[in-house]
């Protein structure tokens, strides 16, 4: 019975923790992904000079 309680306690903590970590990885993945053409997905554009 003691082992069952211990396993239940670990599951009580590990399942939500694992779900949270997986969600964080899924949301952060686009920051590190590359586009299909090999260019970075989060490529920033240089500001264009203003024309007067």
């Amino acid at each position: 019975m003691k082992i069952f309680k211990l396993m239940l306690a670990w599951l009580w903590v590990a399942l939500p923790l694992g779900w949270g970590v997986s969600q964080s990885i899924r949301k952060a993945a686009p920051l590190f992904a590359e586009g299909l053409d090999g260019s970075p997905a989060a490529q920033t554009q240089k500001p264009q000079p203003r024309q007067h």
Side-chain angles (χ1 to χ4, degrees), residues 10-32:
W10 271 103
L11 284 174
W12 187 261
V13 173
L15 288 177
L17 179 64
W19 183 82
V21 169
S22 69
Q23 293 300 307
S24 296
I25 291 170
R26 280 186 52 209
K27 290 184 179 184
L31 297 173
F32 302 102

Side-chain angles (χ1 to χ4, degrees), residues 3-52:
I3 291 177
F4 177 73
K5 286 184 180 180
L6 182 63
M7 287 175 50
L8 188 62
W10 271 103
L11 284 174
W12 187 261
V13 173
L15 288 177
L17 179 64
W19 183 82
V21 169
S22 69
Q23 293 300 307
S24 296
I25 291 170
R26 280 186 52 209
K27 290 184 179 184
L31 297 173
F32 302 102
E34 290 189 8
L36 295 177
D37 60 352
S39 63
Q43 185 178 16
T44 58
Q45 295 179 350
K46 294 180 182 177
Q48 299 296 324
R50 299 178 99 189
Q51 300 209 3
H52 298 217

